[in-house]
Amino acid sequence: QSPNVYFIPNIINPTGGEKLPCLLRFHYFTNIKEAGNLQVFSRDQKNGPWTQVWRHNGQSNYWWERVEIVVTDTSHVQYIIQAKSDGQSNSKEIVAIDDVSFSGSCASFEGQLPPYEKTTTVAPNPCRDDEFRCLSDECVLAESKCD
C-alpha cells in the first residue's frame, strides 16, 4: 500500500544559529502498530533525495503527542511528513497530524531550492593518449578506431 504524504510547501531558511535553533513542530495521533508508520524527511535540493530526520514506531497511546525536530541544515530546506498504514486497510486505522509549524528562528524562503546535481564517477580510461577505448574496454590505436 502506498503511503500518504503531507507535503509542507514552505522552504525554510534557518536564521537563529546554534543559540536559537530552527524547529519543525507538530502533533500526531496514530493507532497503527507498524514500525516506522510516521516519518519526516528533508531535502535541500530541488528534486533531490529525501533524508529521514525523524521516525515514530507504533501507536501513540491514544493521546496527541508533540514533536519538535531541530533543523540541522544551515541553508534552505524542505520537509514532508509521511504516514504509512500497516497494510490491513481497515476503517479503524487512524493517523492524524495537526498544528504543523516552524519556530520564529525559521524564515520562510520564497525562492526555489538549488537544483539537484547528481554526481557520477567516470571510470578511468585504461588506454594511453595515442589509443582509443572501445565499448568492450579494449584499447586500439587511435588511427584504427573506425576499423
Side-chain angles (χ1 to χ4, degrees):
Q1 185 172 5
S2 63
N4 294 318
V5 175
Y6 177 75
F7 182 72
I8 302 172
N10 302 52
I11 296 173
I12 298 305
N13 185 24
T15 59
E18 289 182 26
K19 293 184 179 183
L20 190 59
C22 173
L23 301 173
L24 165 59
R25 304 174 295 212
F26 64 93
H27 292 82
Y28 71 91
F29 177 92
T30 180
N31 67 349
I32 301 173
K33 297 174 183 157
E34 179 181 296
N37 62 358
L38 196 57
Q39 300 172 76
V40 177
F41 296 90
S42 72
R43 70 177 174 190
D44 58 4
Q45 296 174 323
K46 184 178 181 179
N47 300 321
W50 292 99
T51 302
Q52 181 179 298
V53 295
W54 180 84
R55 174 182 170 145
H56 167 71
N57 293 319
Q59 56 192 39
S60 60
N61 300 320
Y62 295 99
W63 59 75
W64 286 91
E65 297 193 37
R66 180 182 166 104
V67 175
E68 285 190 353
I69 299 171
V70 176
V71 176
T72 57
D73 295 87
T74 56
S75 65
H76 316 311
V77 64
Q78 190 173 38
Y79 286 91
I80 59 169
I81 300 172
Q82 175 179 287
K84 291 193 295 187
S85 168
D86 62 9
Q88 296 176 5
S89 194
N90 69 53
S91 61
K92 294 180 183 177
E93 290 180 345
I94 301 169
V95 176
I97 299 166
D98 194 20
D99 200 21
V100 178
S101 66
F102 288 94
S103 64
S105 56
C106 306
S108 183
F109 178 69
E110 299 301 322
Q112 299 254 339
L113 290 174
Y116 178 54
E117 303 272 338
K118 186 173 182 179
T119 57
T120 56
T121 305
V122 177
N125 188 348
C127 303
R128 297 187 315 250
D129 289 341
D130 64 337
E131 293 180 321
F132 176 79
R133 180 180 182 179
C134 299
L135 292 176
S136 64
D137 282 342
E138 180 183 357
C139 298
V140 297
L141 289 174
E143 64 250 12
S144 302
K145 79 176 187 178
C146 292
D147 292 347

